[in-house]
């Protein structure tokens, strides 16, 4: 089995050198890497989820720092952390149910036993609040004396139960890792088919005779538009060419090959065409903490040989005479975005906070390892 650190270093190198094309490929490879990290991580008897979370965060911090512009990296890290927390809570809930914590006397009737569910629900809520805080509820459950659950009949029986308890701890450790890995596998499968899930919604959002403007090349946009055509929608697509890389040329060629009415325009023509457009489908950044735009090489815009005199540090101030800025993406202010179409459906911007809460944990919005004693 490959060394985990070697896998991490290889992926870091790809992120820094922009060797991975597209968010889907980045997300899939990221999830596969974190699955390997979890698989090879040794977990203690107590606070097993904490050990897995620390391991994922240690790697996640490096990945996010390697390419902060690629949002898929941080989102997959946060999603995996949320999965660990969910699976840990699920096992804790099952443990609570098995311990039968309610103190119901033998002479109480069955109606009184209905109160068990209330107690369990309260215990589960407490478990959620105390997850990963030492001592965790799962730790307390594991350290509960055997006599609290089953009366001991002899010293030899106690020894046997002690061995059983140790075996149970080991079993829980394996169970948590197994469940987390299975959930990550499901996440990887969802990433692979996310284009199809998004494309299935096309007919709900694209109507007859609409005019759609898009920028650059995107497989998601391509499949979305083609799905609408397959449902007999008639519409026209304007594609901005996306100079200087001209990724729009690739999208326009694909759209025409699939029989869609397509018009390729220069980037400067967007202003003239925008009045005819019903939808805008851009790539845009939405995290104000970092410059979420990829600044590409100036060589895509000009010949260094031809402009060498302008690039000289000849002003005496130690700065070049000519500055070249080559952002890869257009920027659309969030207030101009009216709908987010995801693999989980189309949502208004006002609903996105709820969607984020379902997919990520608040504790993981900032991916950072917990400070250890002495630091």
């Amino acid at each position: 089995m490959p060394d985990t650190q070697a896998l991490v270093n290889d992926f870091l190198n790809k992120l820094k050198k922009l060797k991975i094309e597209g968010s889907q490929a980045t997300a899939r490879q990221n999830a596969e890497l974190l699955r390997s990290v979890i698989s090879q991580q040794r977990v203690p008897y107590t606070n097993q989820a904490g050990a897995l979370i620390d391991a994922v965060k240690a790697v996640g911090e490096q990945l996010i720092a390697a390419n902060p512009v690629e949002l898929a990296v941080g989102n997959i890290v946060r999603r995996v952390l949320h999965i660990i927390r969910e699976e840990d809570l699920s096992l804790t809930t099952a443990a609570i149910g098995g311990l039968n914590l309610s103190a119901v006397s033998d002479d109480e009737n069955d109606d009184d036993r209905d109160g068990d569910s209330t107690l369990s629900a309260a215990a589960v809520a407490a478990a959620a609040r105390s997850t990963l805080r030492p001592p965790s509820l799962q730790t307390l459950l594991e350290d509960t004396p055997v006599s609290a659950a089953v009366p001991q009949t002899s010293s030899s029986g106690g020894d046997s139960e002690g061995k059983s308890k140790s075996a149970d701890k080991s079993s829980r450790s394996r169970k948590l890792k197994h469940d987390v890995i299975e959930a990550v596998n499901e996440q990887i499968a969802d990433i692979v088919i996310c284009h199809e899930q998004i494309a299935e919604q096309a007919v709900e959002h694209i109507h007859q005779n609409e005019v759609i403007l898009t920028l650059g090349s995107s497989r998601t946009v391509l499949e979305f538009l083609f799905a609408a055509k397959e449902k007999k929608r008639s519409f026209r697509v304007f594609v901005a060419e996306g100079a200087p890389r001209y990724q729009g040329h690739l999208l326009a060629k694909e759209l025409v090959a699939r029989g869609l009415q397509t018009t390729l325009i220069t980037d400067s023509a967007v202003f003239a065409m925008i009045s005819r457009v019903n939808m805008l489908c851009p790539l845009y950044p939405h995290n104000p903490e970092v410059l979420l735009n990829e600044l590409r090489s100036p060589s895509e815009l000009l010949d260094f040989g031809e402009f060498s005199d302008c690039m000289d540090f000849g002003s005496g101030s130690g700065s070049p005479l000519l500055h070249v800025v080559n952002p890869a993406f257009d920027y659309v202010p969030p207030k101009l975005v009216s709908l987010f179409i995801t693999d989980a459906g189309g949502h208004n911007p006002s609903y996105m906070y709820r969607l984020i809460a379902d997919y990520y944990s608040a504790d993981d919005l900032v991916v950072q390892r917990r400070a250890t004693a002495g630091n």
Side-chain angles (χ1 to χ4, degrees):
M1 183 177 292
D3 176 63
T4 302
Q5 192 56 50
L7 294 175
V8 171
N9 291 339
D10 180 62
F11 191 62
L12 285 172
N13 185 57
K14 290 179 180 178
L15 289 176
K16 292 176 180 178
K17 296 184 177 181
L18 307 179
K19 296 294 185 180
I20 306 175
E21 189 72 26
S23 295
Q24 187 201 33
T26 303
R28 178 180 56 79
Q29 293 184 37
N30 192 7
E32 290 172 347
L33 172 63
L34 295 179
R35 179 182 60 187
S36 297
V37 170
I38 293 169
S39 177
Q40 298 185 37
Q41 176 65 32
R42 300 188 64 178
V43 294
Y45 283 154
T46 60
N47 199 18
Q48 298 152 9
L52 293 180
I53 285 177
D54 285 345
V56 170
K57 282 190 174 182
V59 174
E61 284 186 69
Q62 300 178 62
L63 300 182
I64 294 172
N67 189 355
V69 176
E70 181 50 80
L71 302 180
V73 175
N75 287 342
I76 290 299
V77 172
R78 296 180 183 95
R79 181 61 183 149
V80 171
L81 291 171
H82 185 64
I83 286 173
I84 296 172
R85 296 179 190 276
E86 283 187 321
E87 296 301 331
D88 181 52
L89 181 59
S90 177
L91 288 177
T92 301
T93 304
I96 291 174
L99 283 177
N100 188 19
L101 296 179
S102 62
V104 181
S105 60
D106 293 338
D107 58 348
E108 288 182 317
N109 57 37
D110 292 338
D111 292 337
D112 293 335
R113 293 178 183 269
D114 291 339
D116 292 359
S117 60
T118 303
L119 180 60
S120 295
V124 170
R129 291 192 299 269
S130 62
T131 300
L132 305 178
R133 298 178 187 172
S136 67
L137 180 57
Q138 184 169 340
T139 301
L140 294 176
L141 291 174
E142 291 174 349
D143 291 341
T144 300
V146 179
S147 58
V150 181
Q152 296 185 14
T153 57
S154 66
S155 59
S156 60
D159 294 340
S160 175
E161 289 165 358
K163 294 178 180 178
S164 175
K165 177 183 174 184
S166 176
D168 182 60
K169 288 182 179 180
S170 178
S171 175
R172 289 190 188 188
S173 173
R174 293 193 301 271
K175 175 66 172 171
L176 178 60
K177 286 182 63 174
H178 174 270
D179 290 353
V180 168
I181 290 173
E182 284 299 307
V184 173
N185 285 337
E186 293 177 6
Q187 183 67 49
I188 294 172
D190 288 341
I191 293 171
V192 172
I193 64 172
C194 68
H195 295 307
E196 301 172 15
Q197 294 173 324
I198 293 175
E200 289 174 357
Q201 307 167 54
V203 71
E204 303 174 14
H205 303 287
I206 297 180
H207 308 289
Q208 287 293 108
N209 302 320
E210 289 198 304
V211 178
I212 300 170
L213 172 67
T214 187
L215 171 67
S217 179
S218 166
R219 181 185 169 192
T220 303
V221 172
L222 172 65
E223 298 297 339
F224 189 82
L225 297 176
F226 181 66
K229 177 183 179 299
E230 288 289 281
K231 297 296 183 179
K232 308 303 180 183
R233 292 285 194 263
S234 177
F235 56 93
R236 173 170 289 279
V237 183
F238 284 89
V239 181
E241 61 182 358
R245 298 181 67 200
Y246 301 105
Q247 293 292 299
H249 292 188
L250 301 178
L251 180 62
K253 184 177 180 180
E254 290 278 359
L255 291 173
V256 171
R258 298 198 185 192
L260 279 83
Q261 299 182 54
T262 305
T263 301
L264 181 67
I265 63 175
T266 62
D267 298 334
S268 59
V270 169
F271 180 79
M273 303 301 301
I274 197 68
S275 61
R276 300 175 54 186
V277 170
N278 304 112
M279 298 181 181
L280 183 56
C281 305
L283 294 171
Y284 71 96
H286 55 77
N287 187 339
E289 296 182 0
V290 294
L291 176 63
L292 285 178
N293 210 324
E294 181 183 330
L295 297 179
R296 301 190 62 85
S297 171
S299 63
E300 295 180 345
L301 295 177
L302 50 81
D303 184 342
F304 280 124
E306 181 180 354
F307 285 84
S308 59
D309 294 340
C310 299
M311 301 298 290
D312 286 343
F313 289 80
S315 63
S317 62
S319 60
L321 299 175
L322 176 66
H323 295 271
V324 181
V325 181
N326 182 18
F329 308 128
D330 189 20
Y331 175 76
V332 176
K335 66 181 180 180
L336 299 182
V337 179
S338 58
L339 185 70
F340 289 92
I341 302 178
T342 74
D343 57 335
H347 303 286
N348 293 324
S350 60
Y351 185 79
M352 292 307 294
Y353 80 95
R354 176 61 183 168
L355 199 63
I356 291 173
D358 288 341
Y359 280 82
Y360 308 106
S361 297
D363 292 340
D364 303 324
L365 295 183
V366 177
V367 179
Q368 186 174 7
R369 285 171 291 180
R370 294 175 297 176
T372 58
N375 289 347

